[in-house]
């Protein structure tokens, strides 16, 4: 059985939990207190961070790598596009999300004066740019839920928690977010600490 070491409020761990629940497989989530991590995290991940997936002899860290492995190992439902060109585009967009959105998570989490306002504004502006996609399609890559939706969902769930207010121009994006939030896999993946992040 797979074990996922997962931070109870960590957005990157949240991604991996979503994929595991979407796949409906046998796995165990080991909750990790981010402020008091057990020593074995540093042993299995040299960066001393979660999430970490342990599958027999295989140890993986970094949420996108973990999620692609799970998707390839358990292909139903498939979350990465089957077509190589679309898959390459999806990976490119995942990289863009990391660079433009998730690189600001630390500043948002720590709520440091000076950097947090800049991060909030940057993330808000990037999300507003994504909103027009959802005038024509249900999810990031069209009508099918994919790894891109998984990747961005934890951030959308935490907007209020991070103090990010989206303008009316992003209404389509918020409707899209509600579509993700109503999925059973998403609901099952929420920890009690995450459930209270949104009213």
């Amino acid at each position: 059985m797979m074990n996922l070491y997962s931070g109870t409020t960590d957005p990157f761990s949240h991604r991996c939990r979503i994929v595991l629940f979407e796949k409906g497989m046998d796995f165990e989530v080991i909750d990790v207190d981010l402020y008091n991590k057990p020593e074995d995290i540093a042993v299995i991940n040299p960066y001393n961070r979660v999430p970490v997936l342990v599958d027999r002899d295989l140890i993986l860290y970094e949420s996108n790598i973990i999620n692609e492995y799970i998707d390839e190992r358990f292909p139903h439902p498939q979350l990465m596009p089957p077509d190589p060109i679309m898959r390459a585009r999806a990976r490119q967009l995942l990289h863009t999300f990391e660079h433009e959105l998730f690189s600001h998570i630390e500043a948002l989490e720590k709520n440091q004066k000076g950097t947090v306002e800049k991060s909030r504004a940057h993330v808000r502006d990037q999300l507003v740019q994504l909103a027009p996609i959802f005038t024509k399609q249900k999810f990031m890559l069209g009508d099918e839920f994919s790894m891109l939706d998984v990747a961005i969902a934890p951030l959308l769930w935490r907007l209020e928690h991070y103090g990010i207010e989206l303008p009316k121009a992003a209404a389509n994006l918020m409707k899209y977010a509600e579509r993700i939030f109503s999925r059973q896999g998403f609901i099952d993946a929420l920890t009690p600490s995450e459930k209270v992040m949104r009213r």
Side-chain angles (χ1 to χ4, degrees):
M1 183 155 61
M2 287 186 176
N3 288 333
L4 178 74
Y5 290 83
S6 161
T8 49
T9 57
D10 173 49
F12 300 97
S13 298
H14 190 179
R15 284 177 175 172
C16 298
R17 282 184 263 118
I18 294 168
V19 168
L20 288 165
F21 278 105
E22 282 284 337
K23 299 277 183 185
M25 332 153 4
D26 258 359
F27 59 90
E28 187 179 350
V29 174
I30 298 158
D31 287 327
V32 174
D33 178 351
L34 297 177
Y35 302 101
N36 187 19
K37 281 183 231 154
E39 283 169 23
D40 54 347
I41 296 294
V43 174
I44 56 178
N45 179 354
Y47 301 104
N48 194 22
R49 287 202 299 253
V50 288
V52 180
L53 184 80
V54 179
D55 186 16
R56 295 194 209 80
D57 300 337
L58 178 70
I59 296 171
L60 292 176
Y61 38 88
E62 293 305 313
S63 60
N64 289 332
I65 294 169
I66 291 170
N67 284 347
E68 277 210 49
Y69 167 72
I70 296 167
D71 196 47
E72 285 174 12
R73 188 139 179 250
F74 302 93
H76 301 290
Q78 193 169 22
L79 294 172
M80 281 298 273
D83 169 60
I85 292 170
M86 283 302 285
R87 201 159 54 242
R89 284 192 182 135
R91 285 191 180 119
Q92 189 81 65
L93 275 166
L94 286 170
H95 178 74
T96 302
F97 287 172
E98 295 313 287
H99 198 71
E100 297 296 339
L101 297 170
F102 282 83
S103 61
H104 295 272
I105 291 289
E106 199 172 334
L108 294 168
E109 291 274 351
K110 289 187 174 158
N111 203 1
Q112 290 164 325
K113 280 198 169 80
T115 55
V116 73
E117 283 309 322
K118 217 170 172 175
S119 289
R120 277 185 191 133
H122 181 83
V123 169
R124 184 194 61 227
D125 295 347
Q126 290 295 318
L127 290 173
V128 168
Q129 284 180 26
L130 286 174
I133 294 171
F134 305 105
T135 50
K136 297 187 186 80
Q137 57 197 53
K138 272 175 71 174
F139 296 109
M140 278 284 171
L141 290 178
D143 287 335
E144 295 299 318
F145 182 77
S146 76
M147 203 62 88
L148 289 170
D149 306 301
V150 168
I152 202 168
L155 172 62
L156 297 175
W157 181 258
R158 287 165 173 74
L159 289 179
E160 195 180 315
H161 179 68
Y162 291 151
I164 297 170
E165 279 187 54
L166 293 182
K168 286 198 172 73
N172 284 338
L173 179 77
M174 290 324 292
K175 282 185 190 140
Y176 154 73
E178 292 301 332
R179 279 195 289 280
I180 296 178
F181 301 160
S182 66
R183 292 179 71 86
Q184 196 58 52
F186 183 88
I187 294 164
D188 293 342
L190 287 168
T191 64
S193 312
E194 285 166 342
K195 282 178 183 160
V196 298
M197 287 179 174
R198 281 183 98 239
R199 285 196 279 287

